[in-house]
Coordinates of all heavy atoms in Angstrom, one line a residue:
M126 N -1.0 -8.6 4.3 CA -0.9 -8.1 5.7 C -0.1 -9.0 6.6 O -0.2 -9.0 7.8 CB -2.3 -8.0 6.3 CG -3.2 -7.1 5.5 SD -2.6 -5.4 5.3 CE -3.3 -4.9 3.7
T127 N 0.8 -9.9 6.0 CA 1.5 -10.9 6.8 C 2.4 -10.3 7.9 O 2.3 -10.7 9.0 CB 2.4 -11.7 5.8 OG1 1.6 -12.0 4.6 CG2 2.8 -13.0 6.5
N128 N 3.2 -9.3 7.6 CA 4.0 -8.6 8.6 C 3.2 -8.0 9.7 O 3.5 -8.2 10.9 CB 4.9 -7.5 7.9 CG 6.0 -8.1 7.0 OD1 6.4 -9.2 7.2 ND2 6.4 -7.3 6.1
L129 N 2.1 -7.3 9.3 CA 1.3 -6.6 10.3 C 0.6 -7.6 11.2 O 0.5 -7.4 12.5 CB 0.4 -5.7 9.6 CG -0.5 -4.7 10.5 CD1 0.4 -3.9 11.4 CD2 -1.3 -3.8 9.6
A130 N 0.1 -8.6 10.7 CA -0.6 -9.7 11.5 C 0.3 -10.3 12.5 O 0.0 -10.5 13.6 CB -1.3 -10.7 10.6
T131 N 1.5 -10.6 12.0 CA 2.5 -11.2 12.9 C 3.0 -10.2 14.0 O 3.2 -10.6 15.2 CB 3.7 -11.7 12.1 OG1 3.3 -12.5 11.0 CG2 4.7 -12.5 12.9
A132 N 3.1 -9.0 13.6 CA 3.4 -8.0 14.7 C 2.3 -7.9 15.7 O 2.6 -7.7 16.9 CB 3.6 -6.6 14.0
L133 N 1.1 -8.0 15.3 CA 0.0 -8.0 16.3 C 0.0 -9.2 17.2 O -0.4 -9.1 18.4 CB -1.3 -7.9 15.5 CG -1.7 -6.6 14.9 CD1 -2.8 -6.8 13.9 CD2 -2.1 -5.6 15.9
V134 N 0.5 -10.3 16.8 CA 0.7 -11.5 17.7 C 1.7 -11.2 18.7 O 1.6 -11.5 19.9 CB 1.0 -12.7 16.8 CG1 1.3 -13.9 17.8 CG2 -0.2 -13.1 15.9
K135 N 2.9 -10.6 18.2 CA 4.0 -10.3 19.2 C 3.7 -9.2 20.1 O 4.2 -9.1 21.2 CB 5.3 -10.1 18.4 CG 5.8 -11.3 17.6 CD 7.2 -11.1 17.1 CE 8.2 -11.2 18.2 NZ 9.6 -11.2 17.6
E136 N 3.0 -8.2 19.6 CA 2.7 -7.0 20.3 C 1.2 -6.6 20.2 O 0.9 -5.8 19.3 CB 3.6 -5.8 19.9 CG 3.3 -4.5 20.6 CD 3.2 -4.6 22.1 OE1 2.1 -4.9 22.6 OE2 4.3 -4.3 22.8
P137 N 0.3 -7.2 20.9 CA -1.1 -7.0 20.8 C -1.5 -5.5 21.0 O -2.6 -5.1 20.5 CB -1.7 -7.9 21.8 CG -0.7 -8.9 22.1 CD 0.6 -8.3 21.9
D138 N -0.7 -4.8 21.7 CA -1.0 -3.4 22.0 C -0.6 -2.4 20.9 O -0.7 -1.2 21.0 CB -0.3 -2.9 23.3 CG -0.9 -3.5 24.5 OD1 -2.1 -3.9 24.5 OD2 -0.2 -3.7 25.5
L139 N -0.1 -3.0 19.8 CA 0.4 -2.2 18.7 C -0.6 -1.1 18.2 O -0.2 0.1 18.1 CB 0.8 -3.0 17.5 CG 1.3 -2.3 16.2 CD1 2.7 -1.7 16.5 CD2 1.5 -3.3 15.1
P140 N -1.9 -1.4 18.0 CA -2.8 -0.3 17.6 C -2.9 0.8 18.6 O -3.2 2.0 18.1 CB -4.2 -1.1 17.5 CG -3.8 -2.5 17.3 CD -2.5 -2.7 18.1
S141 N -2.8 0.6 19.9 CA -2.9 1.7 20.8 C -1.6 2.4 21.0 O -1.6 3.6 21.5 CB -3.3 1.1 22.2 OG -2.4 0.2 22.7
L142 N -0.5 1.9 20.5 CA 0.8 2.6 20.5 C 0.9 3.7 19.5 O 1.5 4.7 19.8 CB 1.9 1.6 20.3 CG 2.2 0.6 21.4 CD1 3.3 -0.4 21.0 CD2 2.5 1.2 22.8
V143 N 0.3 3.4 18.3 CA 0.5 4.3 17.2 C -0.7 5.2 16.9 O -1.8 5.0 17.5 CB 0.9 3.5 15.9 CG1 2.1 2.7 16.1 CG2 -0.3 2.7 15.4
D144 N -0.6 6.2 16.0 CA -1.7 7.1 15.7 C -2.7 6.4 14.9 O -3.9 6.3 15.4 CB -1.1 8.3 15.0 CG -2.2 9.3 14.7 OD1 -3.2 9.3 15.3 OD2 -2.0 10.2 13.7
D145 N -2.4 5.9 13.7 CA -3.4 5.2 12.9 C -2.7 4.1 12.2 O -1.4 4.1 11.9 CB -3.9 6.2 11.8 CG -5.2 6.9 12.3 OD1 -6.0 6.2 12.9 OD2 -5.2 8.1 12.0
I146 N -3.5 3.1 11.8 CA -3.0 2.0 10.9 C -3.9 2.0 9.7 O -5.1 1.8 9.8 CB -3.0 0.6 11.6 CG1 -2.1 0.6 12.8 CG2 -2.7 -0.5 10.6 CD1 -2.1 -0.7 13.6
Y147 N -3.3 2.2 8.5 CA -4.0 2.2 7.2 C -3.7 0.9 6.5 O -2.6 0.5 6.5 CB -3.6 3.4 6.4 CG -4.2 4.7 6.8 CD1 -3.5 5.5 7.7 CD2 -5.3 5.2 6.2 CE1 -4.0 6.7 8.1 CE2 -5.8 6.5 6.6 CZ -5.1 7.2 7.5 OH -5.6 8.4 7.9
L148 N -4.7 0.3 5.8 CA -4.5 -0.8 5.0 C -4.9 -0.5 3.6 O -6.0 0.1 3.4 CB -5.4 -2.0 5.4 CG -5.5 -2.3 6.9 CD1 -6.4 -3.5 7.1 CD2 -4.1 -2.6 7.5
M149 N -4.1 -0.8 2.6 CA -4.6 -0.8 1.2 C -5.0 -2.2 0.9 O -4.1 -3.1 0.7 CB -3.6 -0.3 0.2 CG -4.2 0.0 -1.2 SD -4.4 -1.5 -2.2 CE -6.2 -1.5 -2.3
G150 N -6.3 -2.5 0.9 CA -6.7 -3.9 0.7 C -8.2 -4.0 0.9 O -8.8 -3.2 1.5
G151 N -8.7 -5.1 0.4 CA -10.1 -5.4 0.6 C -11.0 -4.7 -0.3 O -10.6 -3.8 -1.1
S152 N -12.3 -5.1 -0.2 CA -13.3 -4.5 -1.0 C -14.6 -4.6 -0.2 O -15.2 -5.7 -0.1 CB -13.5 -5.2 -2.4 OG -14.6 -4.7 -3.1
A153 N -15.1 -3.4 0.3 CA -16.3 -3.5 1.1 C -17.5 -3.8 0.3 O -18.5 -4.4 0.8 CB -16.5 -2.1 1.8

Side-chain angles (χ1 to χ4, degrees):
M126 304 300 150
T127 319
N128 290 333
L129 187 52
T131 309
L133 286 164
V134 173
K135 294 191 72 171
E136 176 49 275
D138 291 333
L139 182 67
S141 62
L142 293 175
V143 301
D144 183 19
D145 271 316
I146 296 175
Y147 286 86
L148 317 178
M149 191 282 115
S152 171

